[in-house]
Amino acid sequence: MEESRILKFKDEDGNVVELEAVAEIYLEKQKYLILAPLDEDSDDEYVYRVDADQDGKEELNAIESDEEFMAVKKEYKNLLYGEGGRDE
């Protein structure tokens, strides 16, 4: 992703949490976002499936299937370290 994309969410306590979209991944026409906290000390990353709601607007949904999650994780690793990916 070329341009930084920051998404804001509210946690369970009502605090605003900002996450950066660090990767967009497509598997069989399904879009996924990899999000990371803006805090440089955190190594956490979150994976969400991007679905369209009834109005066609994008909404983020948790991945409930282990198989789906592992497929996205594998593709993300390929993006980072595999052919065509960039090493950082």
Side-chain angles (χ1 to χ4, degrees):
M1 299 178 70
E2 295 177 16
E3 194 174 305
S4 183
R5 183 172 163 195
I6 307 299
L7 303 171
K8 294 180 182 182
F9 300 92
K10 285 190 178 180
D11 66 13
E12 59 273 356
D13 298 324
N15 300 314
V16 175
V17 177
E18 294 184 329
L19 300 173
E20 180 180 6
V22 295
E24 248 179 48
I25 294 172
Y26 290 86
L27 293 176
E28 298 180 16
K29 298 183 182 181
Q30 177 62 55
K31 180 178 174 180
Y32 299 89
L33 279 181
I34 311 296
L35 304 177
L38 296 178
D39 179 6
E40 294 178 10
D41 295 331
S42 176
D43 290 333
D44 293 336
E45 293 180 328
Y46 306 96
V47 181
Y48 289 95
R49 185 178 62 244
V50 181
D51 296 316
D53 67 10
Q54 292 177 343
D55 298 325
K57 291 177 65 178
E58 289 186 344
E59 63 180 18
L60 301 180
N61 292 300
I63 298 173
E64 296 180 15
S65 160
D66 289 340
E67 183 177 312
E68 183 179 12
F69 176 79
M70 294 307 289
V72 174
K73 182 177 174 181
K74 180 179 178 181
E75 187 64 25
Y76 183 48
K77 283 186 177 185
N78 285 339
L79 177 67
L80 292 176
Y81 307 113
E83 288 184 31
R86 61 177 199 263
D87 293 337
E88 294 184 4

